[in-house]
């Protein structure tokens, strides 16, 4: 029984006054909205390359969002009456 969905993701990147790049990610599934956040700081000894800060902050926001999404999936699995896994390897959030 195949099905197809489209989820919308919006990524907002901005730099604050102290040079910290921040990322805010919003996932809208149609029934749920989840947020992810990430930051990146340039070491004063390093060259200032904004693209690298954007990549780091966005990657960290994606990691944060992935963790949140897997937690939601695990709660949904438990709500179906399935017992919580006893090992990380069996958990919904394991890779």
């Amino acid at each position: 029984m195949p099905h197809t969905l489209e989820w919308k993701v919006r990524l907002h990147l901005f730099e604050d006054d102290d040079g910290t790049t921040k990322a805010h990610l919003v996932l809208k599934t149609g029934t749920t909205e989840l947020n992810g956040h990430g930051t990146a700081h340039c070491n004063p000894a390093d060259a200032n390359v904004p693209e690298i800060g954007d990549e780091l902050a966005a990657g960290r926001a994606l990691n944060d969002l992935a963790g949140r999404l897997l937690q939601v999936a695990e709660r949904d699995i438990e709500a179906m009456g399935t017992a919580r896994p006893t090992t990380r390897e069996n958990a919904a959030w394991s890779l």
Side-chain angles (χ1 to χ4, degrees):
M1 127 174 72
H3 87 217
T4 302
L5 295 172
E6 181 176 323
W7 290 0
K8 306 280 186 193
V9 178
R10 298 196 87 173
L11 174 62
H12 304 274
L13 293 163
F14 50 97
E15 190 172 324
D16 64 16
D17 291 334
D18 71 357
T20 299
T21 302
K22 296 182 179 181
H24 178 224
L25 190 65
V26 179
L27 169 67
K28 293 184 179 185
T29 69
T31 58
T32 303
E33 183 175 305
L34 295 171
N35 295 280
H37 302 276
T39 61
H41 311 275
C42 184
N43 184 317
D46 293 339
N48 185 12
V49 183
E51 182 177 314
I52 294 172
D54 294 346
E55 292 164 349
L56 287 169
R60 291 170 179 158
L62 286 163
N63 272 338
D64 183 43
L65 178 67
R68 293 171 192 269
L69 185 58
L70 290 167
Q71 288 174 348
V72 169
E74 191 168 278
R75 281 196 302 270
D76 289 347
I77 290 168
E78 288 176 347
M80 299 292 295
T82 304
R84 178 178 273 284
T86 57
T87 65
R88 180 180 172 102
E89 290 77 24
N90 294 327
W93 39 261
S94 69
L95 298 176

